[in-house]
Amino acid sequence: MINKAICEQQEIDLVFCDLSMPGEDGLTFLNALKKQNFQGKLCLLSGHDKSIIALAEMMCRQLGFGMVSSQMKPISNTDLASVLHSAIEAVPSPKVSDKVIEFLRSDLDSAFDSHRLVNFYQPQCRFANDTQSGNEVLIRWDHPQYGYISPMAFLPIIDKEQWHVRLFFYVLEQALEDHRSEKLSGSISVNAALANFGDSNFAFQVLECCERYDFSPQNLIIEMTEMEVYKHNPTMFENFARLRLNDVELAIDDFGAGYSSLIKLADLPFTEMKIDRALITSCHRDKRKNAILSLVVSMAKQLDMRLVAEGVEDNETWAHLQSMGIDLCQGYFTGRPQPIEYKLMA
């Protein structure tokens, strides 16, 4: 079994896990590793069928591990060097806690007022020439006791208190200020909830913010998840239309993770499609995923939609997606989400 004392005494950056080991299999080891709150990177090794490796990768992601690479045995010196190289980061990334902590309404209200909610920015890079086109904005809570906290810990309060508009404009204005002060460049992608589009003043407020911060609306991208896109109402359509009339772009996020009718894509004016990481992971060696991706790429191009691949974490996936003609990459391979002070260090 995994040595708990070693894990507590020192920080481990990279673990190689063979799926077939004497005494216990690698899957048991991975569960034990999770119980030790392992925060490093992981590389799976196996001589088994690729479909089994793909299942192990999905298990790892469900467990919450970070970068997951996989290699067939025996691993070559070249592949080993590639794994080691990908594990090295030039700029350290802040750790984000995924602990399940119950917060009160007053805790989050205070975080808003004291500006403890901070934007993290993840770069989006062009496959064509490996240059950065912009950033997606992700919110984190810089908690004085727990450090950086994932939004999963406080989104239930946002839902209960109906603070979706408050959160959206808090994030947007912080990003626009960073852009105005030249800490950011290129486009800005901000996530919105269905509740935002249900507010009749939403589009007007977005455009007013852009004007106040001297930011071109055509460089703003507002994202909605695939699951929410299909719960529409008349006010949402009005907001969509007004935003597009003023050149704000609209993206459908996590495409491929939902189960809704594709005909809705013909009804709504999306300009960008973000392919869910579940389809991207190991797509270069998974025939089924590759077949689905080919259809998605063809459909997006016929709909004149820009394609963003989420969850790209290694050179092999990058090269494969580049050959498919996908437009933008977003993932650990090209850059982790980081607060603005980390980006300025890069």
Side-chain angles (χ1 to χ4, degrees):
M1 291 297 293
I2 186 169
N3 192 311
K4 182 177 180 181
I6 293 178
C7 291
E8 292 176 343
Q9 291 169 8
Q10 64 185 54
E11 187 172 324
I12 300 173
D13 298 314
L14 176 64
V15 166
F16 289 86
C17 174
D18 193 332
L19 294 183
S20 297
M21 296 187 291
E24 66 178 21
D25 60 38
L27 305 177
T28 303
F29 172 81
L30 291 169
N31 278 298
L33 197 63
K34 177 60 180 177
K35 291 179 181 178
Q36 299 304 319
N37 195 29
F38 175 65
Q39 297 293 317
K41 295 180 175 63
L42 186 65
C43 178
L44 302 179
L45 299 174
S46 181
H48 287 284
D49 184 87
K50 292 181 179 180
S51 63
I52 298 176
I53 302 174
L55 286 171
E57 285 187 354
M58 287 189 281
M59 169 190 164
C60 290
R61 297 188 189 285
Q62 288 295 312
L63 287 172
F65 288 122
M67 187 278 290
V68 178
S69 174
S70 60
Q71 298 289 334
M72 296 295 293
K73 294 195 310 181
I75 185 170
S76 68
N77 290 337
T78 301
D79 289 338
L80 178 59
S82 176
V83 172
L84 294 174
H85 178 74
S86 66
I88 300 171
E89 293 181 22
V91 179
S93 295
K95 291 184 177 179
V96 178
S97 174
D98 60 354
K99 292 181 180 178
V100 178
I101 307 166
E102 291 190 10
F103 294 102
L104 301 175
R105 176 192 187 279
S106 57
D107 296 328
L108 187 57
D109 193 33
S110 176
F112 272 109
D113 293 340
S114 60
H115 298 282
R116 300 293 302 197
L117 299 178
V118 298
N119 284 357
F120 274 41
Y121 299 102
Q122 184 167 30
Q124 296 178 331
C125 296
R126 301 178 183 90
F127 277 106
N129 54 18
D130 198 16
T131 59
Q132 186 171 336
S133 65
N135 292 274
E136 180 180 358
V137 191
L138 305 167
I139 193 69
R140 301 289 186 264
W141 184 349
D142 185 9
H143 195 280
Q145 179 179 353
Y146 301 108
Y148 287 116
I149 295 175
S150 163
M152 297 305 293
F154 56 86
L155 283 180
I157 301 176
I158 298 292
D159 291 335
K160 181 179 179 181
E161 301 299 330
Q162 298 185 356
W163 283 350
H164 301 94
V165 172
R166 182 183 189 184
L167 179 63
F168 177 87
F169 286 103
Y170 180 99
V171 171
L172 177 62
E173 293 202 38
Q174 192 177 145
L176 294 181
E177 175 57 37
D178 286 337
H179 191 279
R180 183 169 64 178
S181 60
E182 299 184 348
K183 297 174 183 176
L184 287 179
S185 60
S187 63
I188 293 174
S189 296
V190 183
N191 292 279
L194 179 66
N196 292 118
F197 290 95
D199 184 333
S200 60
N201 292 316
F202 179 63
F204 290 116
Q205 287 181 270
V206 169
L207 296 171
E208 187 276 328
C209 279
C210 290
E211 183 178 3
R212 181 154 39 93
Y213 286 91
D214 193 27
F215 183 82
S216 174
Q218 68 182 11
N219 287 326
L220 177 63
I221 304 166
I222 299 179
E223 302 182 11
M224 284 185 73
T225 66
E226 183 184 2
M227 298 300 285
E228 287 196 307
V229 161
Y230 299 94
K231 303 173 184 177
H232 44 65
N233 57 59
T235 304
M236 187 184 92
F237 284 123
E238 180 181 351
N239 277 311
F240 271 26
R242 182 164 289 112
L243 290 169
R244 290 298 299 127
L245 281 171
N246 289 274
D247 297 323
V248 175
E249 297 208 28
L250 300 172
I252 179 169
D253 197 9
D254 300 333
F255 187 81
Y259 306 94
S260 301
S261 171
L262 291 176
I263 194 63
K264 295 296 184 182
L265 285 178
D267 298 333
L268 303 175
F270 286 104
T271 56
E272 179 177 282
M273 180 187 295
K274 302 189 74 175
I275 308 172
D276 188 73
R277 64 179 303 143
L279 275 178
I280 297 300
T281 302
S282 70
C283 63
H284 57 290
R285 58 176 180 270
D286 188 316
K287 291 182 179 179
R288 295 182 179 183
K289 287 185 179 181
N290 194 54
I292 295 171
L293 272 177
S294 296
L295 291 173
V296 170
V297 172
S298 176
M299 177 180 65
K301 289 186 179 299
Q302 292 184 63
L303 293 173
D304 295 321
M305 296 176 70
R306 182 172 56 248
L307 270 173
V308 182
E310 296 186 288
V312 181
E313 298 188 351
D314 55 66
N315 185 64
E316 291 79 6
T317 306
W318 164 278
H320 182 72
L321 297 173
Q322 184 184 49
S323 70
M324 296 186 76
I326 294 176
D327 302 295
L328 299 177
C329 167
Q330 183 176 331
Y332 287 3
F333 182 71
T334 51
R336 290 173 176 266
Q338 296 176 332
I340 198 68
E341 61 266 24
Y342 277 73
K343 288 184 69 66
L344 295 176
M345 290 169 55

